Amino acid sequence: MGGMEADIEQILFTREQIAERVKELAAQVMGVYREKDLTVAVALTGAFVFAADLIRNLVETVDVVFVRASSYGDGTAPQREPEVQLCGEIDWRGRDVLLVEDIVDTGRTMQALLERIRGAGAASVRACAFLDKPSRREVDVRVEFVGFTVSGSDFLVGYGLDLASRYRNLPYVGTLRPEIRGG
Ligand code: IMP
Ligand code: MG
């Protein structure tokens, strides 16, 4: 197994910082939903790490479902409009849905997913992203819950975020060395 650590240029958010922030976010989410039954829609694949930590900090009962939007191939730039898939046989009608994403970049993926879930009849849909890169935004999409806002436009990996399916299992978030990211 090749060491991932050697490819990392800089650590942006440590394991400890992430754990603390996820706990705060979970408290914020619980404050908004209170008595409501919540359906957590996890955007595959990147958000599964964040979502796993987030839901374990929610003390209320939640349903967990998966959704998928693919727009990235193996590169670091979007290649086409996101294709959306709602996985599983659930009836979305009347549900209060929290859509969980790893990162909002141009906003196209989040927008496509939100539209699709609303179209399926959800009573409410709110967006929660572990990371937000507002400088890269191309569409206006409301993200109600954000873990960390990233000021630059660097490509990030770790804590679910990948480059060509690698680095998802890093417990922290970092940038890649230029020779790795092809910069
Ligand atoms: P958007 O549609 O441009 O907002 O892109 C969102 C999707 O692109 C996310 O779900 C990620 O999978 C991927 N993405 C965007 N920026 C990064 C990054 O810095 N690292 C890894 N994946 C990213
Ligand atoms: Mg993704």
Side-chain angles (χ1 to χ4, degrees):
M1 276 172 79
M4 298 178 288
E5 307 258 339
D7 296 348
I8 301 301
E9 184 171 63
Q10 195 198 343
I11 296 176
L12 260 66
F13 306 111
T14 65
R15 186 200 281 261
E16 293 75 20
Q17 286 172 319
I18 293 169
E20 195 178 320
R21 185 64 191 127
V22 170
K23 223 178 262 179
E24 290 172 0
L25 261 187
Q28 204 185 321
V29 168
M30 285 189 290
V32 168
Y33 288 95
R34 294 175 192 277
E35 253 76 289
K36 287 188 172 155
D37 288 330
L38 178 60
T39 299
V40 176
V42 184
L44 294 170
T45 303
F48 89 97
V49 176
F50 169 49
D53 284 344
L54 185 72
I55 63 167
R56 283 177 294 172
N57 281 282
L58 299 173
V59 296
E60 306 294 333
T61 305
V62 298
D63 263 17
V64 179
V65 295
F66 295 94
V67 295
R68 182 187 290 280
S70 23
S71 59
Y72 280 63
D74 282 352
T76 56
Q79 289 162 347
R80 53 192 138 85
E81 283 297 300
E83 273 168 41
V84 173
Q85 257 177 279
L86 305 181
C87 317
E89 306 278 298
I90 74 151
D91 186 354
W92 293 84
R93 285 174 297 175
R95 287 180 183 257
D96 292 296
V97 179
L98 181 69
L99 172 61
V100 178
E101 248 290 36
D102 52 0
I103 184 165
V104 187
D105 190 51
T106 65
R108 292 185 189 282
T109 302
M110 193 63 113
Q111 188 184 53
L113 285 167
L114 288 170
E115 269 173 22
R116 185 67 188 278
I117 295 170
R118 282 193 191 108
S124 71
V125 193
R126 290 185 177 87
C128 174
F130 171 56
L131 299 175
D132 186 11
K133 265 194 222 170
S135 67
R136 299 255 312 160
R137 201 71 93 253
E138 290 173 10
V139 295
D140 188 27
V141 62
R142 178 157 182 230
V143 187
E144 189 133 344
F145 308 97
V146 173
F148 297 100
T149 301
V150 182
S151 53
S153 58
D154 287 337
F155 194 81
L156 308 175
V157 295
Y159 199 67
L161 293 125
D162 73 305
L163 174 62
S165 298
R166 303 189 61 204
Y167 310 106
R168 287 197 203 279
N169 54 322
L170 278 175
Y172 52 79
V173 171
T175 56
L176 289 165
R177 294 190 186 284
E179 61 271 28
I180 306 290
R181 62 174 192 254

